[in-house]
Amino acid sequence: MNLDNLFDIKGKEILKKKKEHVFIQGDKNNSLYFIKTGLLKAYYISPKGKEFVKSFITEGNIAINLSSAYFEKPCTFSLQCIEDTAMLEIPLSLIDAYRKKNHDLSNQVIDLLLEFSLKKEKREFEFLCLSAEDRYKMLSQENSDLLKRLTQNDIAHYLGITPVGLSRIISRNSVSFL
Amino acid sequence: MNLDNLFDIKGKEILKKKKEHVFIQGDKNNSLYFIKTGLLKAYYISPKGKEFVKSFITEGNIAINLSSAYFEKPCTFSLQCIEDTAMLEIPLSLIDAYRKKNHDLSNQVIDLLLEFSLKKEKREFEFLCLSAEDRYKMLSQENSDLLKRLTQNDIAHYLGITPVGLSRIISRNSVSFL
DNA sequence: CAATATCATTAACCTTGGTTAAAAAAATGA
DNA sequence: TCATTTTTTTAACCAAGGTTAATGATATTG
């Protein structure tokens, strides 16, 4: 994806250590973050107080809380570094102002939103149609490199199950590698 | 949401009866559909041959298969009428051509994609953080009018459970109305 | 209307993953 | 390196929802 126009807008360089938060569920935040190096997780604390991971964000990708950035509501999730992370922080107001002058940028924003929408549709499909075990198998096929950088805790919370449940799934399946 | 510019582009009027399909999983389709009256469901057939409902689309809303319309891939889901439905069919190529000339339209497309993205995020939250029973309670609080137009079969497949499971949830809860 | 198809309910039994707790293993930090 | 924290595994028991099948209730259609 060509992000040249987007990065004509100069962002502020931000460095965060592992375990630090970029924003927290309930805060307000109106920036977009472009990840230069590192790894983050976007996660919810559910009504029952449990953690669930919405997504992992890797180098070259973008993190944003849509409802806070676009609609000035509290953040619906928290964003935390899993590894030391370097990113560019770009206020959405800058992008929107720039969009009015630069038609190409609107098309880039559309491309980003399309990519995001398709990812979320894929995840919807997986929750609707697949078991936790199938979701794990799919993840390990499609994202084996990412998997190596994550704890089973985080993977389990991404799949919507407990770490105990994931450990069982893994031991059930590891037999077939003998 | 203001869709005036979008509907400067004249669509083709389409009428479909209950149970008829607009498109089928695997087909190619590059149009956007604006629903004038009626009700449709977008649904997957899972790898194991079961039906799961992705979403219901009501009057005033838009249906589109993003990966087919934007990326010329086969449709990832089927779109079928639950009631007799009148809609406007607008080829995406028309919208894209028009976008180049009309800056406002790009902003409308961004608004549509944002709305869609937020809906999908909400659904992701519900699958990650809520039980089937909680998802049903939420649906019946937030969409009681829609619920009346649906069979329990379709509702169950939307929640990601079987009709038998939904029937149990309803009977468990209906006791509390006595 | 009768015939048929669809939808909803209920019951018995099964499967997956949740819960709690304890122990082992691995990573982190002073 | 030693101590502490975090992660992973395992076990016993539990709960939610799946499966199958039978029955009844509603719709639909010839």
Side-chain angles (χ1 to χ4, degrees):
Chain A
M1 186 172 303
N2 170 18
L3 294 171
D4 291 350
N5 281 290
L6 191 54
F7 297 116
D8 284 353
I9 305 172
K10 280 282 169 279
K12 180 174 158 202
E13 176 113 17
I14 304 232
L15 298 172
K16 295 254 180 202
K17 293 245 159 237
K18 185 169 172 173
K19 295 200 179 171
E20 284 192 284
H21 280 86
V22 180
F23 54 74
I24 291 182
Q25 195 170 342
D27 285 358
K28 294 209 173 173
N29 179 291
N30 45 29
S31 290
L32 174 155
Y33 297 87
F34 174 78
I35 312 309
K36 294 170 76 179
T37 63
L39 174 62
L40 304 97
K41 66 175 173 186
Y43 68 97
Y44 300 108
I45 300 298
S46 81
K48 285 171 187 152
K50 304 205 166 160
E51 175 183 327
F52 291 97
V53 173
K54 190 179 141 51
S55 62
F56 300 106
I57 302 109
T58 54
E59 303 90 345
N61 289 294
I62 277 169
I64 183 171
N65 192 289
L66 287 179
S67 53
S68 192
Y70 273 96
F71 302 106
E72 287 162 14
K73 294 185 188 165
C75 288
T76 49
F77 56 84
S78 300
L79 182 62
Q80 185 185 29
C81 300
I82 289 181
E83 300 172 358
D84 293 358
T85 298
M87 56 203 142
L88 241 39
E89 180 180 59
I90 306 172
L92 202 74
S93 53
L94 269 190
I95 299 177
D96 279 347
Y98 208 87
R99 266 216 281 145
K100 298 211 169 86
K101 294 184 281 175
N102 181 331
H103 199 178
D104 268 8
L105 184 60
S106 285
N107 293 332
Q108 277 182 36
V109 170
I110 288 175
D111 286 347
L112 282 175
L113 284 172
L114 268 177
E115 190 190 355
F116 178 81
S117 299
L118 287 176
K119 269 189 201 158
K120 292 296 125 176
E121 283 208 319
K122 178 151 187 281
R123 197 144 154 80
E124 177 184 64
F125 167 84
E126 289 168 355
F127 277 117
L128 261 179
C129 301
L130 304 180
S131 66
E133 179 154 349
D134 290 341
R135 293 201 295 280
Y136 174 71
K137 285 179 183 166
M138 212 154 171
L139 183 65
S140 44
Q141 276 167 30
E142 296 182 354
N143 278 70
S144 61
D145 290 344
L146 174 60
L147 230 60
K148 288 173 201 138
R149 298 163 72 185
L150 302 172
T151 63
Q152 280 180 212
N153 264 335
D154 283 338
I155 297 169
H157 292 144
Y158 175 76
L159 296 172
I161 61 179
T162 61
V164 177
L166 179 57
S167 174
R168 265 193 299 242
I169 286 172
I170 290 173
S171 71
R172 267 209 302 273
N173 283 281
S174 64
V175 180
S176 50
F177 295 130
L178 296 180
Chain B
M1 186 172 306
N2 170 17
L3 295 171
D4 292 349
N5 281 292
L6 191 53
F7 297 118
D8 284 352
I9 304 173
K10 279 284 167 278
K12 181 174 157 201
E13 176 112 19
I14 304 233
L15 298 171
K16 295 254 179 202
K17 293 246 159 236
K18 186 170 171 170
K19 295 199 178 174
E20 283 190 287
H21 279 85
V22 180
F23 54 74
I24 292 182
Q25 196 169 342
D27 283 1
K28 294 208 173 174
N29 180 290
N30 45 32
S31 289
L32 174 155
Y33 298 87
F34 174 79
I35 312 310
K36 295 171 73 177
T37 64
L39 174 63
L40 305 97
K41 66 175 172 186
Y43 69 97
Y44 300 107
I45 299 299
S46 81
K48 287 173 183 149
K50 304 203 165 159
E51 177 183 324
F52 291 97
V53 174
K54 189 179 140 50
S55 62
F56 300 107
I57 301 109
T58 53
E59 303 88 347
N61 290 293
I62 277 170
I64 183 171
N65 191 289
L66 288 179
S67 53
S68 192
Y70 274 96
F71 303 104
E72 288 162 12
K73 293 186 188 166
C75 289
T76 48
F77 57 83
S78 300
L79 182 64
Q80 185 185 30
C81 300
I82 289 180
E83 299 172 357
D84 294 357
T85 298
M87 55 203 142
L88 240 39
E89 180 180 60
I90 307 173
L92 201 74
S93 53
L94 268 190
I95 298 176
D96 279 346
Y98 208 87
R99 265 214 283 146
K100 299 213 168 85
K101 292 184 283 177
N102 181 331
H103 198 175
D104 270 7
L105 184 60
S106 284
N107 293 332
Q108 276 183 38
V109 170
I110 287 175
D111 286 347
L112 282 175
L113 283 172
L114 268 177
E115 189 190 356
F116 178 82
S117 299
L118 287 175
K119 268 189 202 160
K120 292 296 123 177
E121 283 209 321
K122 177 152 189 280
R123 198 146 155 77
E124 178 184 63
F125 168 83
E126 289 169 356
F127 277 118
L128 261 180
C129 301
L130 304 180
S131 66
E133 180 154 347
D134 290 341
R135 293 201 296 280
Y136 175 70
K137 284 178 182 166
M138 210 154 174
L139 183 66
S140 45
Q141 276 167 30
E142 296 181 355
N143 279 69
S144 61
D145 290 344
L146 173 61
L147 230 60
K148 288 174 200 135
R149 297 162 73 184
L150 302 173
T151 62
Q152 281 180 211
N153 265 336
D154 282 338
I155 297 169
H157 292 144
Y158 175 77
L159 296 173
I161 60 180
T162 61
V164 177
L166 179 57
S167 175
R168 267 193 297 239
I169 286 173
I170 290 173
S171 71
R172 265 208 305 271
N173 284 283
S174 65
V175 180
S176 50
F177 296 129
L178 292 183

